[in-house]
Amino acid sequence: MNAVFTYSVRSLITLQRLLMTGLIVLGTFTLNAQAATVSVSNYPLFLLSEAVTEARHQPIDYCKRGRWVIMVVSAGDIKAIKDSKFVVWFGEPLENNLAASLKTAPNAIALFEFDAFNRHPLRDVKGDAIAGTLDPHIWLDPENAKAITRALAVIHSHANPQYKDLYQANAKKICTATRQRSYCI
């Protein structure tokens, strides 16, 4: 009876060690998969990222749909920022509410710093330009949307290099479609 008990305990310990090893290996793969994520600061960037990646690597929209104005970044958002390989945001001039969290984050990429966008003033109710203002909705300009899409393709390609050709091809398709549609606007 004692031998059966000893055998059972040893088998249980062996099984426990195998399970722990499996969990550690699985955790390593999970961390590696998480390291290849790209987080974005707003829903327009999320939609463009999703189109570039064909949702193969779902970008993390840490600002969530419907949360257009965020005054405080939550602890969960800070964790998503730290766990992401890259965090894409427009930058302090357009998202000053996120500057405290992202301005010094080593993995944050502020697109506005590239100075690659057409800037338009805000308009009053009559459609006249308001002097000294900048419209924060830079993605509504078709040329800006194409520039953002190309930048996202490059960023996602660095995060997941095995899909670089797919991301570049998708960006090219999106830019071509945007060019065709922009003539109708």
Side-chain angles (χ1 to χ4, degrees), residues 38 63 101 116 123 132 142 157 178:
V38 175
C63 289
S101 300
R123 304 256 171 206
S157 294
T178 303

Side-chain angles (χ1 to χ4, degrees), residues 3 20 26 39 48 50 83 122 125 132 140-141 151 153 156 174-175:
M20 290 301 286
L26 180 63
S39 294
L48 290 171
E50 195 173 48
D83 290 347
L122 287 170
V125 293
L140 295 178
D141 179 310
H156 281 285
I174 293 164
C175 289

Side-chain angles (χ1 to χ4, degrees), residues 56-130:
R56 188 172 302 269
H57 287 94
Q58 188 89 13
I60 299 172
D61 177 15
Y62 68 86
C63 289
K64 318 295 183 280
R65 289 179 206 182
R67 282 174 54 191
W68 290 103
V69 179
I70 294 186
M71 296 304 172
V72 178
V73 178
S74 73
D77 295 336
I78 291 171
K79 180 169 177 12
I81 290 167
K82 287 181 181 177
D83 290 347
S84 295
K85 185 154 188 165
F86 300 108
V87 179
V88 184
W89 66 311
F90 283 117
E92 189 171 9
L94 298 179
E95 297 177 293
N96 61 357
N97 54 321
L98 300 175
S101 300
L102 295 177
K103 194 173 181 181
T104 59
N107 58 346
I109 299 170
L111 294 177
F112 194 62
E113 289 179 7
F114 294 114
D115 196 28
F117 304 106
N118 299 321
R119 295 305 311 265
H120 304 285
L122 287 170
R123 304 256 171 206
D124 64 19
V125 293
K126 295 177 186 173
D128 297 327
I130 301 172

